[in-house]
Amino acid sequence: MTLAAAAAHPGFLSPTGVEIAFLLVGLATFGAAVITVTTKQLVHAALWLVVALGGIAVEYLLLTAEFIAWVQVLIYVGSVVVLLLFGLMLTKAPIGRSPDADSGNRWVAAAVAVTAATALVWVVVDAFRTTWIDLEGPAQGSTDATGEFLFRHWVLPFEALSVLLLAALIGAIVLSRKDRAGTSHREDKR
Amino acid sequence: MHLAYPTVLAALLFCTGLYGVLARRNAILVLMSVELMLNAVNLNLVAFDVWLRDALHSGQALTLFTIAIAAAEIGIGMAIVLAVYRNRGSSDVDRLRDTAETEAAETLPGDEDTHDAEDQATAPAGKAKKAEATA
């Protein structure tokens, strides 16, 4: 069956236009991700993260998941990166190069990452060597389809998630407010 | 499209994030690397959902939920990092070795010598001065 599927599809040597676009955007995304975790300038890391996350949004578009692509742009590029930049500035991150951005065990970390990447890529390529995604037909992640499956089959998790977001909001406020009563209590004890 | 393209890209992005989490010293850069790992998982979810043509579209629904939970996680994580920075004056994860808010934990390992040289009576005063400075 797998051989028949392999015979019915073109191989690696004749990639389609979507595959070429996916490969090029994927290379840009991976490069931006590598720069994000290796650059010594902290603010540049956040800006390269924008490139990586935007590249992933383009990959979602190429996989016909349009709604998720725009959600990715809105939430990750729009708010998460801004939050990270605010965090960098609030912790007085140096603007220029900071030589101690990486800890001393970076070579161990690199070895672990390369080993994990080798194992994962090998297993994945071996497992899905003869598997093709059929991107023909109507887009599977259009806003129409997304709204239908989200509010027909996933309503309860959706509402539970809104409660979780509320809890996270309150938790962040509690964590970040200055606890004046607690501070004075500690001073009294001292 | 061959399924190997998105899955290999997701594996590489995940390992990039893994390297970042293990090698970075600043806590905010660690959070960025965690975001990369979450995005790799999202890419896998979307690719498998589009491949399997699931009637419930579990992959895409779970991707949306993962994005929302990642937003909550980054908010809480940033609040924790800012609280730690306010209390300890640093957000370098490998220099924060104490889990308790003790007097020794308030000073970084780098300036332990000056802390030990100080008289024990002046140490709380120094800490109070720092609390005033951050308030």
Side-chain angles (χ1 to χ4, degrees):
Chain A
M1 178 230 161
T2 53
L3 281 177
H9 284 88
F12 277 113
L13 293 179
S14 60
T16 60
V18 176
E19 284 177 339
I20 295 173
F22 195 96
L23 191 65
L24 292 178
V25 177
L27 282 177
T29 306
F30 180 57
V34 168
I35 296 175
T36 302
V37 297
T38 53
T39 181
K40 298 221 177 282
Q41 310 200 23
L42 304 185
V43 180
H44 285 195
L47 297 179
W48 279 108
L49 190 67
V50 173
V51 179
L53 298 177
I56 291 175
V58 177
E59 307 284 41
Y60 289 155
L61 277 182
L62 290 175
L63 284 170
T64 69
E66 299 162 12
F67 183 74
I68 291 178
W70 299 122
V71 165
Q72 168 96 2
V73 170
L74 272 178
I75 293 188
Y76 274 111
V77 182
S79 67
V80 167
V81 172
V82 171
L83 205 58
L84 286 168
L85 279 172
F86 266 112
L88 280 177
M89 289 167 191
L90 283 174
T91 55
K92 299 188 179 61
I95 294 297
R97 300 171 62 84
S98 52
D100 59 344
D102 292 329
S103 66
N105 54 8
R106 54 183 302 190
W107 298 113
V108 182
V112 168
V114 168
T115 310
T118 312
L120 277 177
V121 168
W122 181 45
V123 168
V124 156
V125 168
D126 194 44
F128 302 117
R129 203 171 40 213
T130 55
T131 311
W132 274 267
I133 304 175
D134 187 15
L135 291 177
E136 301 299 319
Q140 297 187 54
S142 62
T143 311
D144 186 17
T146 306
E148 195 158 314
F149 72 72
L150 201 57
F151 291 107
R152 180 168 292 171
H153 305 294
W154 296 91
V155 173
L156 197 61
F158 186 82
E159 296 298 332
L161 198 66
S162 58
V163 177
L164 182 135
L165 277 180
L166 179 67
L169 183 72
I170 296 173
I173 293 173
V174 168
L175 275 175
S176 57
R177 70 197 279 258
K178 294 196 174 78
D179 195 6
R180 298 196 182 280
T183 313
S184 65
H185 179 64
R186 272 194 349 211
E187 308 253 336
D188 289 347
K189 240 181 11 186
R190 202 182 298 138
Chain B
M1 186 194 295
H2 204 290
L3 186 60
Y5 288 104
T7 46
V8 166
L9 176 64
L12 289 176
L13 280 178
F14 185 86
C15 293
T16 312
L18 182 66
Y19 169 77
V21 167
L22 292 176
R24 284 303 203 178
R25 178 170 274 164
N26 193 316
I28 295 175
L29 293 178
V30 172
L31 282 177
M32 285 185 205
S33 309
V34 170
E35 293 301 311
L36 276 179
M37 294 167 86
L38 285 167
N39 271 282
V41 174
N42 285 347
L43 189 60
N44 257 340
L45 282 173
V46 170
F48 282 114
D49 181 85
V50 175
W51 170 45
L52 292 171
R53 292 186 173 271
D54 184 16
L56 292 181
H57 281 292
S58 328
Q60 296 194 28
L62 287 175
T63 304
L64 288 173
F65 296 158
T66 312
I67 290 176
I69 290 177
E73 171 255 333
I74 202 80
I76 293 285
M78 198 60 70
I80 292 175
V81 169
L82 289 182
V84 166
Y85 180 81
R86 217 160 48 207
N87 282 333
R88 312 261 175 105
S90 167
S91 59
D92 293 347
V93 283
D94 59 347
R95 288 177 189 151
L96 302 170
R97 301 215 170 145
D98 297 294
T99 50
E101 292 282 336
T102 57
E103 293 288 333
E106 297 285 318
T107 56
L108 295 175
D111 28 274
E112 250 172 21
D113 300 335
T114 61
H115 180 74
D116 291 340
E118 278 177 7
D119 190 20
Q120 197 61 30
T122 62
K127 187 188 168 191
K129 204 189 297 171
K130 188 155 83 177
E132 278 170 18
T134 54

